[in-house]
């Protein structure tokens, strides 16, 4: 890693002085992923020139590894002819991704490509980006179910492929997927004369071109598959999703959930501009602001109800009650959202989970309610000097009850929101976003307000 | 999936009535991952009995797939003899994981195992759980660098292994890793007479037994490796990490970050009890509560400074300012934390990132400050009826300036906290946890308080 950092500095130095003749000798021995990292960390104006210095043979691999702003910059520095040359050397799914990035020029580039290569890419471009079809590649190894393992190995070897593969997919006469066998299993001498169909250990798992990419990643993770076959509507094998793309989907989904949580989006990871950060974040902050307006109105009414200094002291606890309500809600939402993402929250368990949240919320509410009550007793004791209409004990009790009510409600609401969103086919992660969090805050304030009014009225 | 759900209902029905003779015929055709899911979704008391019904041959695979409470329940229902039988049929890393779960009985079980099997497991048990050594398996295929591809294929086939593998690791005379070749590449007829060392496309990447598991997963993801070789201190090959374990690490890390964010921990995903939820969440809520105490003290002093109704109206905006400060900080922290996790935030970029956060925070602060100023003008206008010491314009301006200051500060603090934690070798994700979030809230309140005092004093 340290070597890579030193190299980055050297290359930045060369880029500043335009001393390109000093670079090439150490660049060509690097892994394309390292070269992509060097380019991504270089100043934007040097990214095109550094890419230029790389061996032509390595360029397609490096281009595949680039993403975000660095990818845009390098592609902008290339002519359509160059891009079409690089893209021809890529796996069809990578080629389709690059063409997706240069939308305006994609037709032109496709026409510059050899027909054989462009056909596959055109086919892939027709699928939605976030479906199994959108991330699959059309390169795969398929064998007919009737041949023997020995024949299969001979056939596969004769293909002289240059993309990694680990499974041979077994198809019937109509190209429908029967299942698959692992390459290493085909090699065993004891299997040589068995028919491949008898070696199939994995049944076909129905992932279709239109299956959501997240669902596809979940299936692959659940069944520990290194690559996932993809079927068309007639259950014919049309492609496979490779591990690197599945990993990207899993990483992407985790980033997405975390950024939704914070009120932003994961594109921020790939771009450096502050304006882009504002564009991603400001809408969510404005939602928080709008809910905040509501809280200021409620607080205004709250304070307007207050006639004596002793009751005014209840307003000291507004921030705590809001924060505790908000946090309790976030904890419940997180459990459900992540559980839905990794597949541990399933239909059968929802009632069980909700009842668990109610109990947990109430237990934590009792505990925190007691503590805040004691604290309130201390705080109010020291404040109040004028004639007392309410005992400090009664006011502290009010604060404790209000916190208990706010937390119990927040635990249930926090769990329910993502479940309802998921049911209505929306993204449950939105439930952890600023909108629901801010709602939780405001609801906690309303509960505090109502409990206080009720308790004060009851006393009178 | 629907089929699986129906099956779960049927099995629950059988479990309730103890009608086990009705179950076996559909159970044996399922994938171990599906069987594990069925067990996990069954009531706790039925989990042992359902496992009992599974074919003995499938049991080890199902046991590997189980996790959390379901795994505990099933293991509790098994005798040490049974566990030792199942564990012998597992890959050494899976066996070590199971033994880690039954700590008190692990010595006993190891002694019941065949010596050959227990040796590997004992070796693996000595590594820390969250290191490369802790998740690697000792099963791998290694070939000497001097043999030909044809010889290698013959040798590999003769091993008749039963664990999946995709690479042959190439080692020198001293068992030091030279690199690796892909199995499918060895098969090509055109490579048959080449020496394997000449086919090595991937150089050795130094992942050692003591490397942190997250770092190992990052390396595998960066270089798109389906399995990662692990070296000892003398750079000898001692094991490999398989894709399923790498995936688990990536999923785990994403869950961990999200749960730290919310103030809880990812063990919640695997256990259903509300008490366990309280144990995971309550400590964080207590931190929020403690910081809340601080905010109540500050607010008390704030309100004590207030002499007129017009200045009291400034307290309406306390919740907004706190929420906006908190959220802005979360957004910055999230970017850095996730960037550190997926590797897009690297040393070179930190100054650039910080300056980006300062600019973004200030821009968003100006924008939101303006809006809240206008809102405050509206709110205060309608409130104040008594003699005016300050114009409503001046008070609204105060609110706007305070929000701007709070947001700018929060953006920088939010970005700085995870960077500093990472530098001091702590987990940066803690920076998004309730502690830092609550600090952000309180700091926003302090800034509001100070700005208000300053503005009011300046006016006088």
């Amino acid at each position: 890693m340290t070597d890579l950092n030193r190299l980055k500095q050297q290359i930045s130095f060369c880029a500043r002085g335009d001393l390109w003749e000093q670079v090439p000798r150490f660049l060509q021995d690097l892994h394309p992923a390292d070269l992509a990292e060097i380019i991504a960390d270089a100043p934007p104006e040097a990214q095109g020139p550094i890419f230029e210095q790389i061996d032509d043979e390595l360029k397609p691999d490096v281009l595949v590894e680039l993403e975000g702003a660095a990818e845009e910059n390098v592609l902008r520095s290339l002519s359509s002819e160059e891009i079409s040359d690089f893209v021809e050397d890529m796996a069809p799914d990578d080629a389709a991704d690059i063409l997706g990035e240069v939308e305006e020029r994609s037709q032109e580039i496709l026409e510059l490509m050899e027909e054989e290569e462009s056909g596959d890419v055109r086919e892939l471009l027709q699928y939605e980006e976030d479906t199994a079809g959108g991330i699959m590649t059309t390169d795969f190894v398929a064998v007919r179910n009737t041949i023997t393992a020995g024949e299969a190995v001979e056939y596969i070897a004769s293909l002289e492929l240059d993309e990694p593969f680990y499974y041979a997919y077994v198809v019937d006469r109509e190209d429908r997927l029967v299942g698959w066998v692992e390459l290493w299993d085909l090699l065993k001498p004891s299997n040589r004369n068995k028919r491949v169909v008898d070696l199939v250990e994995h049944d076909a798992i129905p992932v279709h071109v239109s299956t959501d990419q997240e669902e596809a990643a979940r299936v692959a993770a659940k069944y520990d598959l290194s690559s996932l076959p993809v079927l068309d509507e007639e259950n014919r094998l049309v492609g496979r999703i490779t591990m690197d793309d599945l990993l990207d989907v899993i990483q992407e989904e985790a980033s997405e959930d975390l950024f939704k949580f914070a009120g932003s989006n994961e594109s921020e990871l790939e771009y450096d501009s502050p304006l882009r950060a504002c564009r991603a974040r400001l809408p969510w902050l404005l939602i928080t602001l709008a809910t905040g307006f509501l809280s200021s109105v409620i607080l205004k009414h709250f304070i307007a109800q207050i006639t004596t200094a002793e009751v005014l002291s209840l307003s000291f606890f507004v921030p705590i009650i809001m924060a505790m309500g908000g946090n309790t809600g976030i904890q419940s939402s997180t459990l459900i959202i992540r559980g839905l993402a990794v597949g541990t929250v399933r239909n059968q368990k929802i009632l069980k989970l909700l009842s668990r949240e109610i109990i947990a919320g109430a237990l934590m509410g009792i505990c925190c309610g007691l503590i805040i009550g004691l604290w309130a007793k201390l705080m109010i004791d020291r404040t109040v000097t004028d004639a007392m209409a309410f005992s400090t004990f009664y006011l502290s009790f009010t604060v404790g009850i209000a916190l208990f009510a706010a937390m119990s409600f927040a635990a249930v609401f926090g769990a329910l929101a993502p479940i309802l969103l998921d049911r209505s086919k929306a993204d449950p992660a939105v439930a952890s976003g600023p909108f629901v969090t801010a709602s939780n805050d405001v609801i906690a304030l309303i509960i505090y307000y109502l409990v206080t009014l009720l308790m004060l009225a009851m006393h009178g």
Side-chain angles (χ1 to χ4, degrees), chain A:
Chain A
M1 282 298 163
T2 334
D3 286 348
L4 199 56
N5 284 341
R6 202 171 318 121
L7 202 51
K8 283 181 199 168
Q9 283 169 357
Q10 288 177 307
I11 288 173
S12 283
F13 175 79
C14 295
R16 269 196 299 274
D18 237 352
L19 304 164
W20 294 116
E21 67 284 3
Q22 306 205 9
V23 173
R25 71 197 139 84
F26 33 80
L27 268 191
Q28 314 311 334
D29 298 334
L30 292 176
H31 190 284
D34 289 326
L35 288 168
E37 189 178 312
I38 290 176
I39 293 174
D41 283 354
E45 64 284 2
Q47 293 176 335
I50 296 175
F51 183 79
E52 189 74 14
Q53 302 302 313
I54 297 171
D55 238 33
D56 277 343
E57 245 176 80
L58 278 175
K59 278 180 180 165
D61 295 335
V62 176
L63 204 49
V64 168
E65 298 280 345
L66 284 169
E67 46 191 22
E71 183 179 9
E72 275 178 23
N73 288 332
V74 169
L75 284 172
R76 209 174 303 119
S77 76
L78 297 172
S79 70
S80 297
E81 285 75 17
E82 286 173 303
I83 297 178
S84 83
D85 282 345
F86 300 148
V87 155
E88 278 182 352
D89 285 340
M90 294 179 187
D93 59 331
D94 294 328
D97 288 345
I98 297 287
L99 287 177
E101 293 295 323
V102 288
E103 243 173 300
E104 16 15 290
R105 292 196 277 169
S106 64
Q107 263 330 99
E108 186 189 344
I109 294 168
L110 277 168
E111 271 149 37
L112 288 164
M113 288 171 69
E114 310 259 334
E115 196 125 352
E116 192 191 340
E117 314 276 345
S118 67
D120 280 346
V121 179
R122 274 179 215 271
E123 194 191 317
L124 289 176
L125 281 173
Q126 70 186 336
Y127 300 115
E128 293 291 325
E129 228 183 301
D130 55 356
T131 61
I135 56 171
M136 74 179 187
T137 181
T138 48
D139 280 346
F140 55 82
V141 174
V143 295
R144 187 59 58 79
N145 51 358
T146 49
I147 66 174
T148 66
E151 288 166 342
V153 171
E154 233 169 278
Y155 163 71
I156 292 169
S158 72
L159 293 174
E160 294 262 345
L161 294 170
D162 44 46
E163 284 291 322
F165 65 92
Y166 310 116
Y167 304 125
Y169 296 110
V170 181
V171 294
D172 67 12
R173 235 167 211 294
E174 273 82 41
D175 273 346
R176 280 186 307 248
L177 183 67
V178 175
W180 57 94
V181 281
E182 306 231 19
L183 186 54
W184 59 271
D185 214 13
L186 286 178
L187 281 182
K188 292 183 191 169
S190 58
N191 286 340
R192 193 155 298 161
N193 296 316
K194 292 188 188 151
R195 288 192 319 161
V196 289
V197 71
D198 297 322
L199 292 173
V200 167
E201 273 209 36
H202 307 275
D203 286 337
I205 288 169
V207 169
H208 287 91
V209 283
S210 58
T211 302
D212 185 86
Q213 62 172 1
E214 291 175 6
E215 174 61 21
R218 249 192 306 271
V219 169
K222 177 174 172 186
Y223 296 108
D224 290 341
L225 301 175
S226 296
S227 86
L228 194 65
V230 181
L231 312 176
D232 67 7
E233 269 71 52
E234 279 89 44
N235 285 332
R236 279 182 311 233
L237 183 63
V238 287
R240 69 178 167 130
I241 309 178
T242 52
M243 200 62 234
D244 54 330
D245 294 315
L246 290 170
L247 262 183
D248 285 346
V249 171
I250 288 170
Q251 292 270 29
E252 218 176 81
E253 172 166 20
S255 294
E256 212 181 289
D257 284 357
L258 206 64
F259 279 91
K260 280 216 187 85
F261 213 110
S264 177
N265 71 57
E266 69 280 10
S267 75
E268 278 208 66
L269 284 173
E270 293 165 13
Y271 296 90
D272 289 327
S273 98
L275 276 177
R276 204 163 178 124
C278 291
R279 215 164 58 201
R281 298 177 192 179
L282 203 49
W284 296 104
L285 288 179
L286 292 179
I287 289 176
T288 310
L289 200 60
T291 355
F293 288 171
L294 195 57
S295 72
S296 65
V297 173
I298 298 169
L299 200 53
K300 185 173 157 182
H301 281 273
F302 189 31
I303 290 180
Q305 300 285 329
I306 290 170
T307 43
T308 62
E310 54 179 311
V311 184
L312 183 60
S313 64
L314 289 181
S315 70
F316 306 161
F317 306 103
V318 164
I320 306 195
I321 302 222
M322 290 178 75
M324 295 297 287
N327 273 17
T328 309
I330 289 178
Q331 291 180 330
S332 299
S333 301
T334 306
L335 174 75
I336 306 288
I337 289 165
R338 192 63 193 153
L340 287 166
V342 302
T344 54
V345 170
R346 291 178 288 267
N347 282 338
Q348 292 74 5
K349 295 177 79 175
I350 283 178
L351 274 182
K352 207 159 141 193
L353 276 167
L354 279 179
S355 67
R356 169 196 155 157
E357 291 305 315
I358 296 172
I359 298 171
L363 283 177
M364 297 188 298
I366 289 171
C367 180
C368 295
L370 269 175
I371 299 175
I372 204 179
L374 291 174
W375 174 256
K377 180 93 174 52
L378 216 69
M379 290 275 295
I380 301 176
D381 255 337
R382 291 190 189 154
T383 315
V384 178
T385 48
D386 44 0
M388 305 273 287
F390 302 95
S391 69
T392 58
F393 176 79
Y394 194 74
L395 290 177
S396 314
F397 185 64
T398 302
V399 176
I401 290 287
L403 183 61
F404 164 74
M407 286 176 67
S408 306
F409 180 85
V412 180
F413 180 68
L416 213 49
I419 291 174
L420 293 179
L421 283 169
D422 189 55
R423 284 289 164 91
S424 56
K425 304 279 166 213
D427 183 345
V430 172
S432 60
F435 181 65
V436 177
T437 309
S439 309
N440 258 324
D441 280 14
V442 172
I443 292 171
L445 181 61
I446 294 175
I447 291 179
Y448 186 36
Y449 183 32
L450 292 179
V451 168
T452 305
L453 283 187
L454 188 71
M455 294 287 288
L456 295 185
M458 271 168 60
H459 187 273

